[in-house]
Amino acid sequence: MDSFKIIDPLGIQRVVQPKGVLPQQAEILSTNLPIAEDELLVEVESLNVDSASFHQISESAGGDVIKIQNIILELVEKRGKLHNPVTGSGGMFIGTVAQIGPKFPVQDKPVKVGDRIASLVSLSLTPLNIKKIKQIHQTTDRVDIEGYAVLFASGIFSKLPDDLPETVALAVLDVAGAPAQTQRLVKAGNVVVVIGGGGKSGILSLYEAKKTPGAKTIAVDYDKESIHRLSELSFVDEVIHADARNAVALMDKIWDLTKGKMADVVINVANIPDTEMATILSCRVGGIAYFFSMTTSFQKAALGAEGMGIDVDLRIGNGYCPSHAEIALNILRESPEINRIFMETYS
Ligand code: NAP
């Protein structure tokens, strides 16, 4: 297709293959210009690659930065989007608004050319063209590029805040759904376990959980440095050093800490596969197992729980919930401890 004239809020006309599906399900998207009348064109500077995706790409490249670069370039060239076929996940971007289609819904989504924005929709459904990769930041999953992306009329985004470095905002906004959903899920007096608690979404979720009156927070992580950092945080009550792929060992540790009561809510924000059963076995009967992790296997969680006759409320981590961007960014304004960690790591 040479041009996009019609109104198409879901971006269906950009699907090249297979026809008739939505952009997230598509194998290939078109990144052709000019944009449609209801689209937004953004000059992109940085991508925050989803942690599970970056981890998988990095592993398959043996950690070699040139190979990582080539994998990302080939993937985006082939699919017209940064949609990792192994993890199914994407990430998000920051950039400058370059063009606004005359029918883009600016009354609902105020924006002007030159605004600095972060996308709040996944790169797994966002048309993306990379002209050049400038730098890959391996410890923070960030990729600086020259290129452009297209947002559909249904797409959501956030203007970048003035009071935080943009790369910090990028890191926070990528996982904004996790602390916002934690706020909804945790009730007074709950015991909350966060698996992968030392990472971006883990720290934000632990903080948000602890704000609930009487909540007790337990962080689980694999990395020794993360464990050390977690043990110094005022809003983390207990820290467990464990490999969440070993479900029984983690269950035993949670049993000991909770005197057999187990957790009311378990939030899984690990970035590796095979942590479903540790999440489920750490939960009390009738508790909530919340899978924010993109490495979650529906089959492993559902059939694993069924196979053991465990009555736990299994929930999929929706990356969106109302006000999630504000909730997540406000944590950095409220908590000097988290502000310091994110500034040191991501700015
Ligand atoms: P992150 O900063 O990389 O944190 C992941 C944490 O998991 C790290 O602290 C990591 O430790 C830990 N971990 C790794 N292996 C572990 C193991 N065997 N046992 C216990 N902990 C382990 O990731 P993030 O950016 O917060 O993202 C967390 C998850 O959310 C990822 O799966 C990501 O794909 C997903 N995500 C979901 C959505 C959504 O919409 N649902 C949106 C964004 C991200 P190390 O330091 O050792 O690696």
Side-chain angles (χ1 to χ4, degrees):
M1 186 179 292
D2 294 322
S3 64
F4 303 98
K5 293 282 183 215
I6 57 166
I7 305 296
D8 177 25
L10 302 178
I12 294 165
Q13 63 188 334
R14 285 203 174 261
V15 173
V16 176
Q17 196 189 309
K19 282 285 176 206
V21 303
L22 290 162
Q24 212 277 337
Q25 299 162 279
E27 190 54 36
I28 301 172
L29 296 182
S30 165
T31 59
N32 284 359
L33 297 178
I35 55 169
E37 291 189 355
D38 62 346
E39 290 179 338
L40 198 68
L41 180 67
V42 186
E43 269 169 27
V44 177
E45 279 136 46
S46 292
L47 308 171
N48 190 98
V49 182
D50 170 70
S51 174
S53 173
F54 193 87
H55 197 262
Q56 187 278 327
I57 290 172
S58 178
E59 264 201 350
S60 70
D64 182 311
V65 76
I66 300 295
K67 286 189 185 153
I68 295 174
Q69 175 172 310
N70 290 339
I71 291 172
I72 292 174
L73 283 172
E74 273 170 35
L75 185 57
V76 174
E77 172 75 26
K78 186 173 155 213
R79 300 198 75 176
K81 57 178 180 172
L82 182 48
H83 188 175
N84 184 324
V86 180
T87 62
S89 57
M92 35 92 69
F93 69 75
I94 54 174
T96 305
V97 175
Q99 195 188 343
I100 303 168
K103 300 219 169 116
F104 187 79
V106 283
Q107 60 289 356
D108 299 332
K109 303 175 180 185
V111 68
K112 54 185 187 328
V113 169
D115 278 353
R116 306 273 305 140
I117 64 164
S119 62
L120 294 174
V121 284
S122 173
L123 288 172
S124 65
L125 57 85
T126 303
L128 175 70
N129 181 294
I130 299 183
K131 292 190 188 92
K132 182 177 162 189
I133 289 188
K134 289 160 61 177
Q135 197 175 351
I136 295 186
H137 305 264
Q138 278 181 278
T139 53
T140 56
D141 313 338
R142 196 175 96 223
V143 181
D144 297 334
I145 67 158
E146 256 174 47
Y148 67 83
V150 176
L151 286 182
F152 310 131
S154 60
I156 50 171
F157 57 88
S158 170
K159 290 205 185 143
L160 285 166
D162 296 332
D163 59 340
L164 292 168
E166 291 185 347
T167 49
V168 172
L170 175 71
V172 172
L173 290 171
D174 176 45
V175 294
Q181 301 282 4
T182 301
Q183 195 186 69
R184 280 181 169 182
L185 291 175
V186 177
K187 305 291 176 240
N190 277 178
V191 172
V192 183
V193 168
V194 179
I195 295 178
K200 288 198 288 296
S201 49
I203 289 176
L204 297 170
S205 300
L206 285 159
Y207 178 81
E208 208 51 51
K210 191 62 191 173
K211 276 164 72 177
T212 310
K216 176 177 174 147
T217 52
I218 302 174
V220 178
D221 209 284
Y222 190 42
D223 182 60
K224 277 198 180 138
E225 243 178 70
S226 300
I227 290 296
H228 176 69
R229 194 168 63 179
L230 283 164
S231 61
E232 294 186 328
L233 295 174
S234 61
F235 51 89
V236 179
D237 295 317
E238 306 281 353
V239 180
I240 296 178
H241 186 201
D243 182 345
R245 288 168 293 195
N246 189 337
V248 175
L250 183 58
M251 176 185 74
D252 287 344
K253 288 183 178 176
I254 302 290
W255 175 279
D256 290 344
L257 264 182
T258 60
K259 301 192 171 53
K261 288 187 175 157
M262 310 309 281
D264 300 289
V265 179
V266 183
I267 296 168
N268 184 324
V269 284
N271 58 356
I272 48 130
D274 295 321
T275 60
E276 293 84 356
M277 286 317 291
T279 310
I280 291 165
L281 288 176
S282 297
C283 216
R284 69 165 167 81
V285 172
I288 298 173
Y290 187 73
F291 292 101
F292 192 74
S293 169
M294 282 291 158
T295 58
T296 305
S297 153
F298 176 84
Q299 290 88 336
K300 285 180 189 168
L303 299 177
E306 181 207 65
M308 296 185 142
I310 297 172
D311 176 21
V312 162
D313 186 356
L314 305 179
R315 305 229 187 145
I316 295 175
N318 185 346
Y320 171 75
C321 96
S323 306
H324 64 329
E326 289 80 359
I327 291 169
L329 290 170
N330 277 341
I331 294 176
L332 268 75
R333 298 176 181 125
E334 288 169 16
S335 166
E337 292 169 285
I338 296 186
N339 191 300
R340 182 181 48 78
I341 292 171
F342 274 72
M343 288 294 196
E344 282 172 8
T345 315
Y346 301 102
S347 70

